[in-house]
């Protein structure tokens, strides 16, 4: 339980809130948070204290939290009157009771000891914001990793070696960073070349997804071809989304190491570097969303079979719906974990009976030459479907007769 009058210092950045103060007080806030909260490492707290001056360091005690502000919580904080009213934006439950012993004190830039302190704090918030996004994409990878590894090995592509090599190097650097709280020149020299490799692999994945979208789009209108293409594309889509997810995760881990390295080299550069990373990540989001929208649009187009096509293809049409649904599920799951906005990725299946009724309505309302043409098509479709169903009934009847014949032989013997 936090002691009476415990003060929590709050610093607002565009990447979230930084809270510093008594550990018990911060635990109370964390336990009742409406949004993502990450604990700031002791090394980071000590680093901030050093940058902002001893007095500020003493005020901020020895614990810290980063709090994510969603669009809703940010608006709630703004409406409530700023970060001093943080409870209104990020806490649930009985806020008054939770914070009755706490004082939330906004930490303004003017109150900090050095001019570089705001940039340092902003860079720290950016690190934790990237790590929070990394948690989401890592959760996605945990679900598909086993299957992705299998697909990678089956394909025996260069992608496997590249991903494995970059991952190993970043794992080593991250372990050192977590242990020491710094990224030395030696550690950075091992990972600084990763950016080109990751950008290349990401471009390859996006190009492959674009090619899949084009191939699926070409199958639109042909139920048999669409079923075949969508079946192949479902596995390929999951594969390249998995590669893309790994690239995003590795790239974000690289950004965290970059910011830590800039902290060590020169805190005055942190803000401009953070802005550069923000622009790069926004561009990455734009390109990925564009690729996902292209896939969603092509799958939707391919799965949108006419009533006639659905009626005369009673086997292929359901396969089209199922396989299109599998692709959109892969895309939606990826988009959710990567925090991407991709609308219109649902595919509605059309039952055979509904398509048949729709086709009947179309032919009934047709008039003139166009009507005659439509009726002719409908009659032809009806004859083909009728023959298909008659043949199936006859096959079943023959099987029943054969079984009865065997039973009769047994009785006679």
């Amino acid at each position: 339980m936090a002691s009476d009058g415990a003060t929590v210092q709050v610093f607002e950045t565009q990447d979230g809130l930084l809270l510093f103060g008594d550990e018990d007080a911060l635990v109370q806030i964390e336990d009742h948070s409406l949004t993502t909260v990450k604990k700031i490492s002791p090394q980071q707290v000590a680093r901030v204290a050093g940058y902002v001056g001893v007095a500020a360091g003493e005020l901020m005690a020895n614990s810290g939290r980063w709090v994510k502000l969603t669009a809703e919580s940010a608006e709630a904080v703004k409406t409530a009157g700023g970060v001093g009213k943080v409870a209104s934006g990020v806490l649930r439950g009985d806020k008054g009771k939770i914070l009755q012993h706490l004082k939330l004190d906004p930490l303004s830039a003017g109150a900090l000891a050095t001019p570089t302190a705001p940039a340092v704090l902003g860079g720290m918030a950016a690190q934790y914001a990237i790590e929070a996004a990394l948690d989401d994409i890592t959760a996605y990878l945990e679900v598909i990793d086993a299957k992705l590894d299998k697909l990678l090995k089956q394909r025996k592509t260069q992608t496997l070696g590249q991903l494995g090599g970059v991952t190993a190097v970043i794992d080593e650097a991250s372990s050192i960073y977590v242990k020491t709280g710094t990224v030395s020149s030696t550690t950075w020299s091992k990972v600084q070349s990763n950016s080109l490799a990751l950008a290349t692999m990401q471009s390859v994945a996006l190009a492959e997804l674009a090619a899949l979208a084009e191939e699926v789009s070409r199958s639109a209108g042909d139920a048999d071809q669409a079923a075949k293409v969508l079946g192949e594309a479902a596995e390929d889509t999951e594969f390249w989304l998995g590669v893309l997810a790994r690239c995003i995760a590795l790239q974000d881990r690289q950004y965290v190491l970059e910011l830590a390295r800039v902290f060590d080299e020169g805190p005055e550069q942190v803000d401009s570097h953070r802005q550069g990373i923000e622009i790069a990540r926004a561009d990455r989001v734009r390109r990925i969303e564009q690729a996902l929208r292209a896939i969603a649009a092509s799958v939707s187009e391919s799965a949108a079979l006419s009533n006639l096509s659905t009626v005369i293809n009673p086997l292929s049409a359901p396969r089209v719906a199922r396989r299109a649904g599998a692709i959109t599920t892969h895309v939606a799951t990826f988009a959710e974990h990567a925090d991407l906005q991709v609308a219109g990725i649902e595919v509605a299946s059309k039952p055979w009976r509904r398509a048949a009724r729709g086709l009947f309505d179309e032919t009934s309302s047709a008039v003139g030459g166009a009507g005659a043409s439509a009726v002719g098509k409908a009659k032809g479709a009806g004859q083909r479907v009728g023959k298909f169903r008659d043949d199936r009934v006859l096959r079943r009847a023959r099987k029943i007769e054969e079984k009865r014949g065997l039973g009769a032989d047994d009785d006679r013997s």
Side-chain angles (χ1 to χ4, degrees):
M1 180 71 67
S3 59
D4 289 354
T7 298
V8 174
Q9 300 284 343
V10 184
F11 187 80
E12 185 179 13
T13 78
Q14 66 182 51
D15 292 304
L17 302 178
L18 295 175
L19 310 182
F20 300 98
D22 180 81
E23 176 64 16
D24 290 339
L26 294 177
V27 168
Q28 288 188 60
I29 293 176
E30 182 175 5
D31 288 344
H32 294 82
S33 175
L34 284 166
T35 185
T36 304
V37 178
K38 295 182 74 69
K39 185 172 183 177
I40 300 176
S41 68
Q43 296 96 329
Q44 289 279 52
V45 174
R47 171 180 291 178
V48 170
Y51 283 132
V52 301
V54 176
E58 291 173 353
L59 283 175
M60 291 185 289
N62 60 357
S63 293
R65 296 292 189 278
W66 169 84
V67 180
K68 178 180 180 180
L69 282 183
T70 62
E72 294 78 10
S73 60
E75 182 60 29
V77 170
K78 181 179 178 181
T79 302
V83 296
K85 303 290 185 179
V86 64
S88 300
V90 301
L91 296 184
R92 55 182 162 78
D94 189 346
K95 306 179 187 71
K97 184 177 179 180
I98 293 167
L99 298 178
Q100 62 184 347
H101 299 302
L102 303 183
K103 178 184 178 183
L104 298 174
D105 188 13
L107 188 61
S108 66
L112 300 175
T114 66
T116 58
V120 170
L121 291 170
M124 176 187 289
Q127 278 186 290
Y128 283 96
I130 292 172
E131 288 183 6
L134 183 58
D135 289 342
D136 290 335
I137 201 70
T138 300
Y140 170 78
L141 284 170
E142 287 175 354
V143 175
I144 69 162
D145 249 355
K147 188 169 185 179
L148 180 60
D149 284 337
K150 180 180 178 181
L151 292 172
L152 281 167
K153 291 174 183 176
Q154 287 175 344
R155 289 169 180 259
K156 301 182 185 300
T157 62
Q158 188 179 5
T159 306
L160 175 61
Q162 289 177 325
L163 283 173
V166 172
T167 301
V169 172
I170 291 181
D171 282 346
E172 179 185 348
S174 296
S175 297
I176 295 172
Y177 171 55
V178 169
K179 186 70 175 178
T180 65
T182 62
V183 177
S184 67
S185 58
T186 301
T187 301
W188 181 244
S189 67
K190 298 178 181 179
V191 298
Q192 62 181 347
S193 62
N194 285 339
S195 296
L196 177 59
L198 289 171
T200 301
M201 284 186 283
Q202 183 175 291
S203 295
V204 169
L206 290 173
E208 291 289 345
L209 290 171
L212 285 172
E214 292 179 6
E215 185 176 3
V216 169
S217 184
R218 285 196 294 268
S219 70
D222 186 332
D224 291 335
Q225 182 65 13
K228 177 183 177 182
V229 171
L230 288 169
E232 296 170 350
E235 185 174 281
D236 287 340
T237 300
E238 186 177 27
F239 172 80
W240 288 111
L241 286 177
V243 171
L244 192 57
R246 282 195 176 179
C247 288
I248 291 173
L250 290 170
Q251 199 166 47
D252 280 350
R253 293 175 68 189
Q254 177 90 353
Y255 285 146
V256 170
L257 293 172
E258 276 188 44
L259 284 170
R261 179 58 187 160
V262 176
F263 278 139
D264 293 330
E265 282 194 328
E268 68 280 354
Q269 301 176 19
V270 170
D271 196 49
S272 58
H273 202 85
R274 177 193 59 77
Q275 292 175 14
I277 289 176
E278 181 182 333
I279 293 171
R281 295 182 81 229
D283 183 63
R284 183 180 71 188
V285 166
R286 179 189 60 77
R287 287 185 286 114
I288 294 175
E289 286 183 343
Q290 182 179 358
L292 296 188
R293 289 192 188 100
I295 293 176
S298 64
V299 170
S300 178
E301 181 185 7
S302 182
L305 300 176
S306 65
N307 288 327
L308 176 61
S309 184
T310 302
V311 169
I312 65 177
N313 293 283
L315 298 180
S316 293
R319 292 194 187 107
V320 169
R322 287 195 303 271
R323 292 168 183 177
I327 294 176
T328 56
T329 297
H330 295 325
V331 172
T333 302
F334 174 86
E336 178 184 358
H337 285 87
D339 196 22
L340 303 174
Q341 303 299 319
V342 184
I345 57 176
E346 294 183 357
V347 175
S349 60
K350 184 188 297 182
W352 188 91
R353 288 181 181 274
R354 186 193 303 169
R357 286 196 298 268
L359 182 60
F360 177 79
D361 291 341
E362 291 172 4
T363 57
S364 296
S365 60
V367 293
S373 175
V375 171
K377 291 181 179 179
K379 287 182 178 179
Q383 292 171 355
R384 288 193 290 273
V385 173
K387 184 178 185 303
F388 171 80
R389 291 192 167 181
D390 289 344
D391 290 344
R392 185 170 61 181
V393 171
L394 289 173
R395 286 197 299 271
R396 288 181 177 176
R398 282 196 294 270
K399 289 183 179 179
I400 293 173
E401 289 175 354
E402 290 172 1
K403 289 182 179 179
R404 287 178 176 175
L406 291 174
D409 290 340
D410 292 340
D411 291 339
R412 285 194 296 271
S413 63

